[in-house]
Amino acid sequence: MAITIKDIANKAGLSPASVSRILTNRGRFNEDTAIRVRELAHSMGYLKNQSAADLSQQKSRIIGILVPIEHTNFADEIIKGMQNKAHEFGYELLITFIDVNESQQIQTVQSLLSRQILAIFMLAIDMSPAVFKLLINSKVQLLSISNQLDSQIPSISSDNYVMMKKIVDYLVSHGHKKIALIGSSSQFPIVAQLRRQGFIDGLAAHGISYNPDFIWGTTLSYQTGLETIKHFGLPLPFTAAIGSADIISIGLLNSAKDANLDIPNDLSIISIDGTELTQITRPVLTTIQQNFQLMGELAITTLHENKFTEEKVIFTKTKIVPGKTVAINYESI
Amino acid sequence: MAITIKDIANKAGLSPASVSRILTNRGRFNEDTAIRVRELAHSMGYLKNQSAADLSQQKSRIIGILVPIEHTNFADEIIKGMQNKAHEFGYELLITFIDVNESQQIQTVQSLLSRQILAIFMLAIDMSPAVFKLLINSKVQLLSISNQLDSQIPSISSDNYVMMKKIVDYLVSHGHKKIALIGSSSQFPIVAQLRRQGFIDGLAAHGISYNPDFIWGTTLSYQTGLETIKHFGLPLPFTAAIGSADIISIGLLNSAKDANLDIPNDLSIISIDGTELTQITRPVLTTIQQNFQLMGELAITTLHENKFTEEKVIFTKTKIVPGKTVAINYESI
DNA sequence: TTGAAAGCGTTACCAT
DNA sequence: ATGGTAACGCTTTCAA
């Protein structure tokens, strides 16, 4: 049987109430006895029973994190950012991987909900309607990170529309006019829509009308990148391509190599995300880097400061990190 | 206020005890009333308060997973395997990332321990002594995955000694006699020791005496791989190198490319782990693949069947997956 | 098959 | 500053 507050109270000649106040630093108590109690607790090897505390307080300090099981590597960076701040403010992160199986999703979410969770953060996830309903009804604080969902649910992400315009500006300033967007042609997530619109508007701002065929590929996968060259055939009808995720860009790079293309002279590539994965390719990828770690930190601090009622949509900055995969296109100049 | 068992009991004209028995499928009850109660619970939107249940039972179904924050990507595969089985048996996984900061490690472990956890699984982790002591004293079931610790603690991993001999056999059968081992020269983890010994004994079995200088690199990092060529200088004194982790092998591959070496003709590379990362390089890496997903599944099933008292060390099989980075070394034939 | 009641460990209110 | 005690929601033993 483990040591309880009662045991400490007995040994200290105090009531459980006092010990509780001291150990949680709540309410009034004498600092001298406090020192004694803390000492005692430590020497007796006391460990708080968090279930009892949660039950008593009808709430916990747990934040549930939903991560897609096929998670892109940037999820780790977001979690890292959250972890830093969570530790600082005394939150616990309950990380759960969810897969596409809806019944499993529901079970997972319910098991989170049954612990009087403080909030649920969703990483790059598009919910199925059933799960969505479950979450909405649960009244816990929701937050979508690196993706935007319903406008009701607060989100932290990059401004995908603006980001895409920045990318187009960058490529156009390097002489590119025929540009492809790979991996953002699906209807969901909303991020894909925003990116498409930013892409189209970005081109239009330079007086370039976009070619619908150049928006291709539905999934953010290596395979999508790998199939790009084959899909369009040689010679490629564009001089630059935007990979909607690092793993796509790597696939694209590899398929270009397999087709004996010279990167960046035969094809310029710029990658969205800019995780460390982009540093291990040859040539090193030019990217627009999202600040995932900051997203994670903001998620926690904003929750902690209870700011989600005021700010529904929070953007973090992106920056272009030049690598060796974008060349100047002299032909069009 | 959320719906409780009492609310259901009232509405059903039963006692809380009966409702509890029905909802948990424990003890005896009338199947007809059971159907009614389950129906009622569902329609009222009942959600079990798990903290209360854990408190009452003085235990939980939570398994704590400790993952190094700089985790290699195979951690995801292990977790995936665990997740499958955990779902099947009704366990909850509480995944926590721990970093090198010891005080943070202690806090993390304590927060796990304060939830009457069922077991703690450690992924590729070497504990600091303080944390180790904490865990040992806690009496929870411990398990080390993909690493071996103290012989007291059960582990699931590949047989690193045998694996290394297999690698050596493979390289020798391809005509290599001068072989380097990159990234396993540190004292810890124990895995590194086992690999070194397997390497030395594997060579000895072929009558090759090993060159201590060829065991180089302490960390399992990209950087280690990247610095290998520079460290040894050109021409390389060996014809084949073993990367102790995929990320090392990729670094090695890149530094070889940067030095204008022709892989595999100027240098053969074989990588340990064989995660999907090895498929996105050019040329594709030859690897010895560990079965991480199976490790994860075995972790859960062995716990579930309470077999850890019988079997302390469980090995999963490894297999060589040929890529394009090992060539036959004709010179030595 | 069902119910009453005690108990899990902590917290918080109200007294003192 | 400290103590007594009810309460949190669920489980379990024992009795009916």
Side-chain angles (χ1 to χ4, degrees), chain A residues 47-50 54-55 62 71 76 83 87 92 95 97 104 107 111 113-116 222 254 258 279-280 282, chain B residues 47-50 54-55 62 71 76 83 87 92 95 97 104 107 111 113-116 222 254 258 279-280 282:
Chain A
L47 208 57
K48 172 200 269 205
N49 183 323
Q50 196 62 50
D54 289 352
L55 174 60
I62 301 181
H71 65 289
D76 294 343
Q83 181 111 349
H87 183 240
E92 286 178 76
I95 300 161
F97 294 92
Q104 206 236 284
Q107 184 181 330
S111 111
L113 258 25
S114 65
R115 285 188 190 278
Q116 283 84 270
Y222 179 67
N254 283 342
D258 295 347
Q279 299 309 299
I280 66 169
R282 288 298 180 270
Chain B
L47 209 58
K48 174 200 270 206
N49 183 323
Q50 196 61 50
D54 288 353
L55 175 60
I62 300 179
H71 65 289
D76 294 343
Q83 181 111 348
H87 183 240
E92 286 178 78
I95 300 161
F97 295 91
Q104 203 236 285
Q107 184 181 329
S111 111
L113 258 23
S114 66
R115 286 189 189 277
Q116 284 85 268
Y222 180 66
N254 283 342
D258 295 347
Q279 299 308 299
I280 67 169
R282 288 297 181 272

Short mmCIF file of all heavy atoms in Angstrom, two decimals, chain A residues 47-50 54-55 62 71 76 83 87 92 95 97 104 107 111 113-116 222 254 258 279-280 282, chain B residues 47-50 54-55 62 71 76 83 87 92 95 97 104 107 111 113-116 222 254 258 279-280 282:
data_model
loop_
_atom_site.label_atom_id
_atom_site.label_comp_id
_atom_site.label_asym_id
_atom_site.label_seq_id
_atom_site.Cartn_x
_atom_site.Cartn_y
_atom_site.Cartn_z
N LEU A 47 3.97 9.80 -3.03
CA LEU A 47 3.68 10.12 -4.43
C LEU A 47 2.19 10.40 -4.53
O LEU A 47 1.37 9.56 -4.18
CB LEU A 47 4.05 8.91 -5.30
CG LEU A 47 4.46 9.20 -6.73
CD1 LEU A 47 5.63 10.16 -6.77
CD2 LEU A 47 4.82 7.90 -7.42
N LYS A 48 1.88 11.58 -4.99
CA LYS A 48 0.47 11.95 -5.09
C LYS A 48 -0.31 10.99 -5.97
O LYS A 48 0.19 10.55 -7.00
CB LYS A 48 0.38 13.37 -5.67
CG LYS A 48 -1.03 13.80 -5.99
CD LYS A 48 -1.00 14.97 -6.98
CE LYS A 48 -1.00 16.28 -6.21
NZ LYS A 48 -1.55 17.41 -6.98
N ASN A 49 -1.50 10.68 -5.55
CA ASN A 49 -2.40 9.88 -6.40
C ASN A 49 -3.20 10.84 -7.25
O ASN A 49 -4.16 11.46 -6.81
CB ASN A 49 -3.32 9.03 -5.53
CG ASN A 49 -4.20 8.14 -6.38
OD1 ASN A 49 -4.65 8.54 -7.45
ND2 ASN A 49 -4.42 6.93 -5.92
N GLN A 50 -2.77 10.95 -8.48
CA GLN A 50 -3.35 11.95 -9.36
C GLN A 50 -4.80 11.64 -9.71
O GLN A 50 -5.59 12.55 -9.95
CB GLN A 50 -2.51 12.07 -10.62
CG GLN A 50 -2.76 13.32 -11.43
CD GLN A 50 -2.43 14.59 -10.67
OE1 GLN A 50 -1.36 14.73 -10.10
NE2 GLN A 50 -3.38 15.52 -10.62
N ASP A 54 -7.64 14.35 -9.37
CA ASP A 54 -8.48 14.72 -10.51
C ASP A 54 -9.95 14.52 -10.17
O ASP A 54 -10.80 15.35 -10.51
CB ASP A 54 -8.13 13.87 -11.73
CG ASP A 54 -6.78 14.24 -12.32
OD1 ASP A 54 -6.21 15.25 -11.87
OD2 ASP A 54 -6.31 13.54 -13.22
N LEU A 55 -10.23 13.43 -9.50
CA LEU A 55 -11.62 13.15 -9.15
C LEU A 55 -12.15 14.23 -8.23
O LEU A 55 -13.25 14.75 -8.40
CB LEU A 55 -11.71 11.78 -8.47
CG LEU A 55 -13.09 11.41 -7.92
CD1 LEU A 55 -14.12 11.37 -9.05
CD2 LEU A 55 -13.04 10.08 -7.21
N ILE A 62 -4.40 17.47 -17.81
CA ILE A 62 -4.01 16.72 -19.00
C ILE A 62 -4.48 17.42 -20.27
O ILE A 62 -5.62 17.85 -20.37
CB ILE A 62 -4.59 15.31 -18.98
CG1 ILE A 62 -4.12 14.54 -17.74
CG2 ILE A 62 -4.23 14.56 -20.25
CD1 ILE A 62 -4.66 13.12 -17.68
N HIS A 71 1.99 10.06 -39.31
CA HIS A 71 2.27 11.47 -39.09
C HIS A 71 3.54 11.90 -39.79
O HIS A 71 4.54 11.21 -39.82
CB HIS A 71 2.31 11.80 -37.62
CG HIS A 71 3.42 11.15 -36.87
ND1 HIS A 71 3.44 9.82 -36.61
CD2 HIS A 71 4.53 11.67 -36.31
CE1 HIS A 71 4.52 9.54 -35.92
NE2 HIS A 71 5.21 10.63 -35.73
N ASP A 76 6.57 15.84 -34.69
CA ASP A 76 7.53 15.76 -33.61
C ASP A 76 8.00 17.14 -33.17
O ASP A 76 8.22 17.38 -31.99
CB ASP A 76 8.75 14.94 -34.05
CG ASP A 76 8.38 13.49 -34.29
OD1 ASP A 76 7.31 13.08 -33.82
OD2 ASP A 76 9.17 12.79 -34.95
N GLN A 83 5.89 20.36 -25.44
CA GLN A 83 6.49 19.73 -24.26
C GLN A 83 7.26 20.75 -23.41
O GLN A 83 7.15 20.78 -22.20
CB GLN A 83 7.45 18.64 -24.75
CG GLN A 83 8.12 17.90 -23.63
CD GLN A 83 7.62 16.47 -23.56
OE1 GLN A 83 6.64 16.11 -24.21
NE2 GLN A 83 8.28 15.68 -22.77
N HIS A 87 5.77 21.49 -19.64
CA HIS A 87 6.59 21.24 -18.46
C HIS A 87 6.64 22.48 -17.57
O HIS A 87 6.49 22.41 -16.36
CB HIS A 87 8.00 20.85 -18.93
CG HIS A 87 8.91 20.49 -17.82
ND1 HIS A 87 10.07 21.16 -17.57
CD2 HIS A 87 8.81 19.54 -16.85
CE1 HIS A 87 10.66 20.63 -16.51
NE2 HIS A 87 9.93 19.66 -16.08
N GLU A 92 0.21 18.01 -18.33
CA GLU A 92 0.66 16.71 -18.82
C GLU A 92 0.13 16.51 -20.22
O GLU A 92 -1.04 16.81 -20.50
CB GLU A 92 0.11 15.59 -17.95
CG GLU A 92 0.78 15.45 -16.61
CD GLU A 92 0.10 14.33 -15.82
OE1 GLU A 92 0.34 13.16 -16.12
OE2 GLU A 92 -0.70 14.64 -14.94
N ILE A 95 -0.47 11.96 -25.44
CA ILE A 95 -0.35 11.89 -26.89
C ILE A 95 -0.99 10.61 -27.40
O ILE A 95 -0.65 9.52 -26.95
CB ILE A 95 1.13 11.92 -27.30
CG1 ILE A 95 1.75 13.24 -26.80
CG2 ILE A 95 1.27 11.76 -28.80
CD1 ILE A 95 3.25 13.21 -26.74
N PHE A 97 -2.08 8.47 -30.92
CA PHE A 97 -2.04 8.37 -32.36
C PHE A 97 -3.37 7.83 -32.84
O PHE A 97 -3.87 6.85 -32.31
CB PHE A 97 -0.90 7.44 -32.79
CG PHE A 97 0.44 8.00 -32.45
CD1 PHE A 97 1.06 7.69 -31.25
CD2 PHE A 97 1.09 8.87 -33.31
CE1 PHE A 97 2.30 8.22 -30.93
CE2 PHE A 97 2.32 9.41 -32.99
CZ PHE A 97 2.92 9.08 -31.80
N GLN A 104 -12.15 3.29 -34.27
CA GLN A 104 -11.00 3.42 -33.38
C GLN A 104 -10.80 4.87 -32.96
O GLN A 104 -10.44 5.16 -31.83
CB GLN A 104 -9.75 2.88 -34.07
CG GLN A 104 -8.70 2.41 -33.08
CD GLN A 104 -7.39 3.09 -33.29
OE1 GLN A 104 -6.66 2.77 -34.21
NE2 GLN A 104 -7.06 4.04 -32.43
N GLN A 107 -13.25 5.57 -30.17
CA GLN A 107 -12.83 5.00 -28.90
C GLN A 107 -11.69 5.80 -28.27
O GLN A 107 -11.66 6.05 -27.07
CB GLN A 107 -12.40 3.53 -29.10
CG GLN A 107 -12.05 2.87 -27.77
CD GLN A 107 -11.61 1.43 -27.95
OE1 GLN A 107 -12.05 0.75 -28.87
NE2 GLN A 107 -10.76 0.98 -27.05
N SER A 111 -11.83 7.78 -24.74
CA SER A 111 -10.95 7.47 -23.62
C SER A 111 -10.24 8.74 -23.14
O SER A 111 -9.96 8.90 -21.95
CB SER A 111 -9.98 6.35 -24.00
OG SER A 111 -8.67 6.83 -24.11
N LEU A 113 -11.67 11.74 -23.32
CA LEU A 113 -12.73 12.51 -22.69
C LEU A 113 -13.07 12.00 -21.29
O LEU A 113 -13.54 12.74 -20.43
CB LEU A 113 -13.98 12.45 -23.57
CG LEU A 113 -14.30 13.66 -24.45
CD1 LEU A 113 -13.10 14.50 -24.78
CD2 LEU A 113 -15.03 13.24 -25.71
N SER A 114 -12.82 10.72 -21.07
CA SER A 114 -13.18 10.15 -19.77
C SER A 114 -12.17 10.49 -18.68
O SER A 114 -12.23 9.97 -17.59
CB SER A 114 -13.36 8.64 -19.88
OG SER A 114 -12.14 8.03 -20.20
N ARG A 115 -11.24 11.34 -19.02
CA ARG A 115 -10.28 11.75 -18.00
C ARG A 115 -10.34 13.24 -17.68
O ARG A 115 -9.36 13.83 -17.26
CB ARG A 115 -8.86 11.37 -18.42
CG ARG A 115 -8.61 9.91 -18.27
CD ARG A 115 -7.19 9.53 -18.49
NE ARG A 115 -7.09 8.08 -18.55
CZ ARG A 115 -7.03 7.30 -17.47
NH1 ARG A 115 -7.01 7.84 -16.28
NH2 ARG A 115 -6.97 6.00 -17.62
N GLN A 116 -11.46 13.81 -17.85
CA GLN A 116 -11.65 15.23 -17.51
C GLN A 116 -10.53 16.09 -18.06
O GLN A 116 -9.90 16.89 -17.36
CB GLN A 116 -11.73 15.44 -16.00
CG GLN A 116 -13.04 15.05 -15.42
CD GLN A 116 -13.06 13.57 -15.16
OE1 GLN A 116 -13.45 12.79 -16.03
NE2 GLN A 116 -12.60 13.19 -14.01
N TYR A 222 5.29 10.45 -50.26
CA TYR A 222 6.48 10.23 -51.07
C TYR A 222 6.10 9.76 -52.46
O TYR A 222 6.63 10.21 -53.47
CB TYR A 222 7.35 9.19 -50.37
CG TYR A 222 8.61 8.82 -51.09
CD1 TYR A 222 9.63 9.75 -51.26
CD2 TYR A 222 8.79 7.54 -51.58
CE1 TYR A 222 10.81 9.40 -51.90
CE2 TYR A 222 9.97 7.17 -52.22
CZ TYR A 222 10.97 8.11 -52.39
OH TYR A 222 12.13 7.76 -53.02
N ASN A 254 13.88 12.55 -56.28
CA ASN A 254 14.36 11.22 -56.65
C ASN A 254 13.87 10.80 -58.03
O ASN A 254 14.63 10.22 -58.82
CB ASN A 254 13.92 10.19 -55.60
CG ASN A 254 14.78 10.25 -54.36
OD1 ASN A 254 15.88 10.81 -54.38
ND2 ASN A 254 14.29 9.71 -53.26
N ASP A 258 16.04 9.80 -61.15
CA ASP A 258 15.86 8.54 -61.86
C ASP A 258 15.64 8.77 -63.35
O ASP A 258 15.94 7.91 -64.17
CB ASP A 258 14.66 7.76 -61.26
CG ASP A 258 14.93 7.33 -59.82
OD1 ASP A 258 16.10 7.42 -59.39
OD2 ASP A 258 13.98 6.93 -59.12
N GLN A 279 17.44 18.60 -45.35
CA GLN A 279 18.88 18.81 -45.30
C GLN A 279 19.66 17.56 -45.70
O GLN A 279 20.86 17.62 -45.92
CB GLN A 279 19.31 19.25 -43.89
CG GLN A 279 18.66 20.55 -43.44
CD GLN A 279 18.84 21.66 -44.48
OE1 GLN A 279 19.95 22.04 -44.80
NE2 GLN A 279 17.72 22.15 -45.02
N ILE A 280 18.97 16.43 -45.75
CA ILE A 280 19.70 15.20 -46.01
C ILE A 280 19.58 14.77 -47.47
O ILE A 280 19.97 13.66 -47.81
CB ILE A 280 19.25 14.05 -45.09
CG1 ILE A 280 17.81 13.65 -45.37
CG2 ILE A 280 19.40 14.45 -43.63
CD1 ILE A 280 17.42 12.37 -44.67
N ARG A 282 20.46 15.40 -51.61
CA ARG A 282 21.48 16.01 -52.47
C ARG A 282 20.86 16.26 -53.83
O ARG A 282 20.41 15.30 -54.45
CB ARG A 282 22.71 15.10 -52.59
CG ARG A 282 23.56 15.03 -51.33
CD ARG A 282 24.14 16.40 -50.97
NE ARG A 282 24.97 16.36 -49.76
CZ ARG A 282 24.54 16.54 -48.52
NH1 ARG A 282 23.25 16.76 -48.29
NH2 ARG A 282 25.38 16.53 -47.51
N LEU B 47 -20.45 8.98 -20.00
CA LEU B 47 -19.02 8.77 -20.24
C LEU B 47 -18.39 8.43 -18.90
O LEU B 47 -18.46 9.22 -17.96
CB LEU B 47 -18.40 10.04 -20.82
CG LEU B 47 -17.20 9.85 -21.73
CD1 LEU B 47 -17.55 8.95 -22.90
CD2 LEU B 47 -16.73 11.21 -22.21
N LYS B 48 -17.79 7.29 -18.83
CA LYS B 48 -17.19 6.87 -17.57
C LYS B 48 -16.13 7.85 -17.08
O LYS B 48 -15.35 8.36 -17.88
CB LYS B 48 -16.55 5.49 -17.77
CG LYS B 48 -15.77 4.99 -16.57
CD LYS B 48 -14.79 3.91 -16.98
CE LYS B 48 -15.46 2.54 -16.89
NZ LYS B 48 -14.49 1.45 -16.67
N ASN B 49 -16.14 8.10 -15.81
CA ASN B 49 -15.07 8.89 -15.23
C ASN B 49 -13.93 7.96 -14.84
O ASN B 49 -13.98 7.27 -13.82
CB ASN B 49 -15.58 9.65 -14.00
CG ASN B 49 -14.52 10.54 -13.41
OD1 ASN B 49 -13.34 10.19 -13.39
ND2 ASN B 49 -14.92 11.71 -12.95
N GLN B 50 -12.93 7.95 -15.66
CA GLN B 50 -11.86 6.98 -15.50
C GLN B 50 -11.03 7.24 -14.25
O GLN B 50 -10.49 6.31 -13.65
CB GLN B 50 -10.98 6.99 -16.75
CG GLN B 50 -10.07 5.80 -16.89
CD GLN B 50 -10.82 4.49 -16.99
OE1 GLN B 50 -11.75 4.35 -17.78
NE2 GLN B 50 -10.45 3.52 -16.18
N ASP B 54 -10.22 4.38 -11.67
CA ASP B 54 -8.84 4.05 -11.31
C ASP B 54 -8.64 4.16 -9.81
O ASP B 54 -7.98 3.33 -9.19
CB ASP B 54 -7.87 5.02 -12.02
CG ASP B 54 -7.77 4.74 -13.51
OD1 ASP B 54 -8.34 3.73 -13.96
OD2 ASP B 54 -7.14 5.53 -14.22
N LEU B 55 -9.21 5.19 -9.24
CA LEU B 55 -9.06 5.40 -7.79
C LEU B 55 -9.69 4.24 -7.04
O LEU B 55 -9.10 3.69 -6.11
CB LEU B 55 -9.74 6.72 -7.39
CG LEU B 55 -9.75 7.00 -5.89
CD1 LEU B 55 -8.34 7.07 -5.35
CD2 LEU B 55 -10.50 8.30 -5.61
N ILE B 62 -3.33 2.00 -17.87
CA ILE B 62 -2.40 2.85 -18.62
C ILE B 62 -1.01 2.23 -18.67
O ILE B 62 -0.48 1.76 -17.67
CB ILE B 62 -2.29 4.25 -17.97
CG1 ILE B 62 -3.65 4.93 -17.94
CG2 ILE B 62 -1.28 5.09 -18.72
CD1 ILE B 62 -3.60 6.30 -17.28
N HIS B 71 14.10 11.27 -30.86
CA HIS B 71 13.87 9.87 -31.15
C HIS B 71 14.08 9.57 -32.62
O HIS B 71 13.70 10.30 -33.51
CB HIS B 71 12.50 9.43 -30.69
CG HIS B 71 11.37 10.08 -31.41
ND1 HIS B 71 11.04 11.38 -31.24
CD2 HIS B 71 10.48 9.58 -32.29
CE1 HIS B 71 10.00 11.66 -31.99
NE2 HIS B 71 9.63 10.60 -32.63
N ASP B 76 8.42 5.43 -33.95
CA ASP B 76 7.05 5.49 -34.48
C ASP B 76 6.56 4.10 -34.86
O ASP B 76 5.39 3.77 -34.66
CB ASP B 76 7.00 6.40 -35.70
CG ASP B 76 7.29 7.83 -35.34
OD1 ASP B 76 7.21 8.15 -34.14
OD2 ASP B 76 7.59 8.62 -36.25
N GLN B 83 0.25 0.20 -30.40
CA GLN B 83 -1.08 0.78 -30.51
C GLN B 83 -2.10 -0.27 -30.98
O GLN B 83 -3.19 -0.38 -30.43
CB GLN B 83 -1.03 1.93 -31.51
CG GLN B 83 -2.34 2.62 -31.69
CD GLN B 83 -2.30 4.01 -31.12
OE1 GLN B 83 -1.38 4.40 -30.39
NE2 GLN B 83 -3.29 4.79 -31.43
N HIS B 87 -5.05 -1.36 -28.34
CA HIS B 87 -6.46 -1.15 -28.68
C HIS B 87 -7.23 -2.45 -28.51
O HIS B 87 -8.32 -2.49 -27.95
CB HIS B 87 -6.53 -0.66 -30.13
CG HIS B 87 -7.91 -0.34 -30.58
ND1 HIS B 87 -8.51 -0.96 -31.63
CD2 HIS B 87 -8.81 0.53 -30.08
CE1 HIS B 87 -9.74 -0.48 -31.78
NE2 HIS B 87 -9.94 0.43 -30.86
N GLU B 92 -4.47 1.72 -22.43
CA GLU B 92 -4.22 3.08 -22.92
C GLU B 92 -2.73 3.34 -22.90
O GLU B 92 -2.05 3.01 -21.93
CB GLU B 92 -4.90 4.10 -22.02
CG GLU B 92 -6.39 4.20 -22.16
CD GLU B 92 -6.94 5.22 -21.18
OE1 GLU B 92 -6.84 6.42 -21.44
OE2 GLU B 92 -7.44 4.80 -20.13
N ILE B 95 2.11 8.24 -23.86
CA ILE B 95 3.42 8.43 -24.47
C ILE B 95 4.05 9.71 -23.97
O ILE B 95 3.46 10.78 -24.06
CB ILE B 95 3.27 8.49 -26.00
CG1 ILE B 95 2.66 7.18 -26.51
CG2 ILE B 95 4.60 8.78 -26.67
CD1 ILE B 95 2.07 7.27 -27.88
N PHE B 97 7.61 12.03 -24.03
CA PHE B 97 8.94 12.25 -24.56
C PHE B 97 9.83 12.75 -23.45
O PHE B 97 9.46 13.66 -22.70
CB PHE B 97 8.90 13.26 -25.70
CG PHE B 97 8.14 12.75 -26.89
CD1 PHE B 97 6.79 13.00 -27.02
CD2 PHE B 97 8.77 11.98 -27.85
CE1 PHE B 97 6.07 12.51 -28.10
CE2 PHE B 97 8.06 11.49 -28.93
CZ PHE B 97 6.72 11.75 -29.06
N GLN B 104 14.03 16.91 -15.43
CA GLN B 104 12.80 16.78 -16.19
C GLN B 104 12.42 15.32 -16.35
O GLN B 104 11.24 14.96 -16.29
CB GLN B 104 12.98 17.42 -17.57
CG GLN B 104 11.65 17.82 -18.18
CD GLN B 104 11.43 17.22 -19.53
OE1 GLN B 104 12.01 17.64 -20.51
NE2 GLN B 104 10.56 16.22 -19.60
N GLN B 107 10.73 14.30 -13.11
CA GLN B 107 9.36 14.82 -13.02
C GLN B 107 8.41 14.03 -13.92
O GLN B 107 7.29 13.70 -13.53
CB GLN B 107 9.33 16.30 -13.39
CG GLN B 107 7.93 16.90 -13.20
CD GLN B 107 7.89 18.36 -13.59
OE1 GLN B 107 8.88 19.07 -13.45
NE2 GLN B 107 6.74 18.82 -14.06
N SER B 111 5.26 11.78 -12.70
CA SER B 111 3.88 12.06 -13.10
C SER B 111 3.24 10.80 -13.68
O SER B 111 2.05 10.57 -13.54
CB SER B 111 3.84 13.24 -14.06
OG SER B 111 3.48 12.85 -15.34
N LEU B 113 4.08 7.75 -12.63
CA LEU B 113 3.90 6.88 -11.48
C LEU B 113 2.69 7.29 -10.64
O LEU B 113 2.08 6.46 -9.95
CB LEU B 113 5.17 6.94 -10.61
CG LEU B 113 6.16 5.78 -10.70
CD1 LEU B 113 6.08 5.02 -11.99
CD2 LEU B 113 7.57 6.25 -10.42
N SER B 114 2.33 8.54 -10.69
CA SER B 114 1.23 9.00 -9.85
C SER B 114 -0.13 8.64 -10.45
O SER B 114 -1.16 9.08 -9.97
CB SER B 114 1.33 10.50 -9.63
OG SER B 114 1.14 11.18 -10.83
N ARG B 115 -0.12 7.86 -11.49
CA ARG B 115 -1.39 7.42 -12.07
C ARG B 115 -1.58 5.92 -12.00
O ARG B 115 -2.27 5.34 -12.82
CB ARG B 115 -1.51 7.91 -13.51
CG ARG B 115 -1.80 9.38 -13.58
CD ARG B 115 -2.13 9.86 -14.96
NE ARG B 115 -2.18 11.31 -14.94
CZ ARG B 115 -3.23 12.01 -14.57
NH1 ARG B 115 -4.33 11.40 -14.19
NH2 ARG B 115 -3.21 13.32 -14.56
N GLN B 116 -1.00 5.30 -11.04
CA GLN B 116 -1.16 3.85 -10.84
C GLN B 116 -1.01 3.09 -12.15
O GLN B 116 -1.83 2.26 -12.51
CB GLN B 116 -2.52 3.53 -10.24
CG GLN B 116 -2.63 3.83 -8.79
CD GLN B 116 -2.98 5.28 -8.60
OE1 GLN B 116 -2.09 6.12 -8.46
NE2 GLN B 116 -4.24 5.59 -8.63
N TYR B 222 23.14 11.95 -37.79
CA TYR B 222 23.47 12.29 -39.16
C TYR B 222 24.89 12.84 -39.24
O TYR B 222 25.67 12.50 -40.14
CB TYR B 222 22.46 13.33 -39.65
CG TYR B 222 22.66 13.81 -41.06
CD1 TYR B 222 22.50 12.96 -42.14
CD2 TYR B 222 22.99 15.14 -41.31
CE1 TYR B 222 22.67 13.41 -43.44
CE2 TYR B 222 23.16 15.61 -42.60
CZ TYR B 222 23.01 14.74 -43.67
OH TYR B 222 23.17 15.19 -44.94
N ASN B 254 25.86 10.76 -48.07
CA ASN B 254 25.97 12.13 -48.55
C ASN B 254 27.42 12.63 -48.54
O ASN B 254 27.85 13.32 -49.46
CB ASN B 254 25.09 13.06 -47.71
CG ASN B 254 23.63 12.94 -48.09
OD1 ASN B 254 23.30 12.44 -49.16
ND2 ASN B 254 22.75 13.38 -47.21
N ASP B 258 29.52 13.97 -51.58
CA ASP B 258 30.18 15.27 -51.55
C ASP B 258 31.67 15.14 -51.88
O ASP B 258 32.28 16.07 -52.39
CB ASP B 258 30.00 15.94 -50.17
CG ASP B 258 28.52 16.26 -49.90
OD1 ASP B 258 27.71 16.22 -50.84
OD2 ASP B 258 28.19 16.56 -48.73
N GLN B 279 14.70 4.09 -48.04
CA GLN B 279 14.16 3.94 -49.39
C GLN B 279 14.19 5.26 -50.17
O GLN B 279 13.98 5.28 -51.37
CB GLN B 279 12.72 3.42 -49.34
CG GLN B 279 12.62 2.06 -48.67
CD GLN B 279 13.57 1.04 -49.27
OE1 GLN B 279 13.49 0.72 -50.44
NE2 GLN B 279 14.50 0.54 -48.45
N ILE B 280 14.42 6.34 -49.47
CA ILE B 280 14.35 7.63 -50.15
C ILE B 280 15.73 8.17 -50.50
O ILE B 280 15.87 9.31 -50.90
CB ILE B 280 13.59 8.67 -49.32
CG1 ILE B 280 14.35 9.03 -48.05
CG2 ILE B 280 12.19 8.18 -48.96
CD1 ILE B 280 13.78 10.24 -47.33
N ARG B 282 19.34 7.87 -52.80
CA ARG B 282 19.82 7.39 -54.09
C ARG B 282 21.32 7.25 -53.99
O ARG B 282 21.99 8.23 -53.70
CB ARG B 282 19.46 8.37 -55.21
CG ARG B 282 17.99 8.39 -55.56
CD ARG B 282 17.51 7.04 -56.10
NE ARG B 282 16.10 7.03 -56.47
CZ ARG B 282 15.10 6.76 -55.66
NH1 ARG B 282 15.34 6.48 -54.39
NH2 ARG B 282 13.85 6.76 -56.09
#
